[in-house]
Amino acid sequence: MATAVPSAAARIAVVTGASSGIGAATARQLAAAGHRVVLTARRKDRIEALAEELTKAGHSAVAYQLDVTDRAAVDEFASAFKTIGVLVNNAGGALGADPVATGDPADWRAMYETNVIGTLNLTQALLPKLEASGDGVVVVVSSTAGLATYEGGAGYVAAKHGAHVLAETLRLEIVGRPVRVVEIAPGMVKTEGFALNRFGGDAEKAEKVYQGVAEPLTADDVAETITWAVTRPSHVNVDLLVLRPRAQASNTKVHRES
Ligand SMILES: NC(=O)c1ccc[n+]([C@@H]2O[C@H](COP(=O)([O-])OP(=O)(O)OC[C@H]3O[C@@H](n4cnc5c(N)ncnc54)[C@H](OP(=O)(O)O)[C@@H]3O)[C@@H](O)[C@H]2O)c1
């Protein structure tokens, strides 16, 4: 029996980590593109405020508090939906910038839990719903850290390599089914939380990450790319898209003006 394909306007888009940075910007842009957005994150006040803002602007948006590492909570969340058009696995981030010799195993575990297991949890729970839509898209927001390493980055690099492999493998495994798997791998993006979280709230250290870089990417730059990828025609799968600021040629080669 043929599955009815909903119009783009009726598509539900679930965005994880929608309380700040790339996730919040993506929720805004997917809503503007006509999706019914479901904002998830742990900070309820933030996603509720964003859902209200979007609703007032005439979009369809709801907030749902969710920790992506909590599988029982993810399963309960997923049970609320019959079909979903888009899942953006964006929740994640880095903890610490220590060398392998002294990195904290607890940070490594936490990064793996959020960036890899979190993505796995949502993807497993929602895959049947994406397939049921007849035209689903799973987005994995990995990183250029998922493709190459840098000193002091091994814990995050290992986790993002995990997210990259998850995306690549899933694409192989579900080929022939009506679900695309898109990986977006940004380089340096200046967001509200990324560097601050990495350095345990130390604003000075966080600011140094971007020091002298003329124009790091913004959350909107990445959100535009995600929105572009998911709004391609159904037969077009953007496998992997790497984007960096012009001032960054690789993870270790960054032009700084001062
Ligand atoms: N900024 C960069 O340079 C850069 C580059 C490449 C890739 N990325 C990736 O892009 C994604 C977004 O990062 P960002 O730069 O926008 O940083 P951000 O502003 O710190 O946002 C991170 C988001 O992830 C959510 N999150 C973290 N742990 C979570 C958990 N256990 N459950 C649910 N949500 C969780 C946070 O929400 P709550 O705290 O409210 O839960 C927040 O909304 C991350 O996966 C990051 O690794 C960032």
Side-chain angles (χ1 to χ4, degrees):
M1 196 174 70
T3 316
V5 179
S7 72
R11 293 182 113 199
I12 294 173
V14 172
V15 181
T16 68
S19 58
S20 83
I22 295 166
T26 301
R28 282 199 172 91
Q29 294 199 23
L30 288 176
H35 295 82
R36 295 158 59 200
V37 291
V38 181
L39 317 177
T40 74
R42 293 167 302 180
R43 285 171 293 175
K44 196 170 176 232
D45 52 335
R46 282 177 163 247
I47 48 174
E48 281 181 349
L50 181 52
E52 198 182 321
E53 176 199 314
L54 293 172
T55 306
K56 275 191 184 146
H59 303 304
S60 167
V62 291
Y64 189 102
Q65 186 178 30
L66 187 67
D67 181 335
V68 293
T69 66
D70 181 343
R71 184 53 190 256
V74 169
D75 285 341
E76 195 187 328
F77 167 70
S79 71
F81 302 96
K82 272 200 180 125
T83 72
I84 286 202
V86 181
L87 165 62
V88 181
N89 285 299
N90 162 78
L95 293 173
D98 303 305
V100 172
T102 55
D104 185 344
D107 284 346
W108 281 56
R109 268 192 211 103
M111 287 188 278
Y112 195 84
E113 275 292 326
T114 312
N115 293 288
V116 185
I117 305 298
T119 298
L120 179 72
N121 283 340
L122 267 296
T123 303
Q124 285 187 339
L126 292 177
L127 196 55
K129 325 277 177 168
L130 287 153
E131 193 166 356
S133 79
D135 184 17
V137 191
V138 179
V139 178
V140 175
V141 180
S142 61
S143 168
T144 53
L147 307 171
T149 195
Y150 55 94
E151 289 151 286
Y156 181 59
V157 166
K160 286 302 193 186
H161 271 67
H164 167 66
V165 166
L166 185 158
E168 273 200 318
T169 311
L170 179 65
R171 196 178 303 116
L172 292 172
E173 290 170 349
I174 64 170
V175 70
R177 286 152 65 179
V179 181
R180 287 176 279 166
V181 182
V182 173
E183 179 181 356
I184 304 291
M188 184 186 283
V189 193
K190 192 168 184 182
T191 57
E192 214 181 323
F194 182 80
L196 203 59
N197 287 334
R198 175 166 225 168
F199 295 109
D202 186 328
E204 212 174 304
K205 274 191 184 169
E207 202 45 50
K208 277 206 175 124
V209 171
Y210 309 103
Q211 205 168 36
V213 180
E215 279 180 290
L217 295 177
T218 64
D220 277 333
D221 293 328
V222 183
E224 257 175 45
T225 306
I226 293 169
T227 305
W228 173 80
V230 306
T231 54
R232 292 312 83 213
S234 308
H235 67 287
V236 179
N237 197 110
V238 179
D239 284 12
L240 168 64
L241 201 153
V242 178
L243 69 160
R244 301 183 199 266
R246 188 172 60 189
Q248 185 186 32
S250 79
N251 289 352
T252 52
K253 181 92 178 167
V254 179
H255 176 71
R256 296 183 193 267
E257 287 179 350
S258 54

